[in-house]
Amino acid sequence: HLAEEAAGRRIANRWDSALETHDGALLGGPRETLLERAKLYSPYWNLTDTIAPTIILHGTADPAVNHKHSEDLYDALCELGKEDQTELYLIPGAGHGSPEFFQEETKDVILRFLNKWM
């Protein structure tokens, strides 16, 4: 879900405010209601027991979105009884879309997941 602590401040020197992020650009509208409106599109706030198998990969050094958000999503999926269909991988030292996501080990994890569920 949208990093609430990022609202209204510079994020990883890429944007001047949360409204300039991909989420902010998609949703538009006034900054004051951005986080509430973001919930309409957030997987975390829209989980149902019919959700497809889910793989979550997140870098522990992500400067834009804290990996705690992915941990929270994983926990929520497990609470729905989806622990056997959900995988969480925290990639040590990886940033936001950094090269670690494109290494062979990561590709193998993704391919194993896709081969299992597709």
Side-chain angles (χ1 to χ4, degrees):
H1 46 281
L2 188 63
E4 293 180 18
E5 66 272 9
R9 67 176 171 83
R10 192 163 186 82
I11 303 169
N13 297 320
R14 185 171 176 185
W15 300 288
D16 289 325
S17 74
L19 289 176
E20 294 177 11
T21 65
H22 302 298
D23 298 327
L26 171 70
L27 297 174
R31 181 177 141 212
E32 297 76 30
T33 60
L34 175 64
L35 294 177
E36 195 58 39
R37 286 179 291 115
K39 288 181 181 181
L40 298 172
Y41 303 97
S42 168
Y44 180 84
W45 295 104
N46 293 285
L47 294 175
T48 68
D49 59 359
T50 61
I51 191 167
T54 305
I55 184 170
I56 305 165
L57 295 100
H58 205 127
T60 61
D62 187 330
V65 181
N66 190 300
H67 62 84
K68 176 84 169 91
H69 294 293
S70 287
E71 293 172 359
D72 291 346
L73 176 59
Y74 175 80
D75 291 342
L77 286 162
C78 289
E79 287 177 22
L80 276 177
K82 298 295 183 175
E83 61 276 349
D84 61 331
Q85 297 178 13
T86 305
E87 298 179 18
L88 169 64
Y89 296 92
L90 296 178
I91 303 173
H96 195 82
S98 60
E100 294 86 351
F101 288 92
F102 303 95
Q103 63 189 347
E104 288 306 313
E105 290 173 303
T106 307
K107 290 178 185 179
D108 290 344
V109 164
I110 295 167
L111 284 174
R112 250 191 332 270
F113 181 85
L114 292 174
N115 285 329
K116 179 178 181 179
W117 294 106
M118 303 221 39

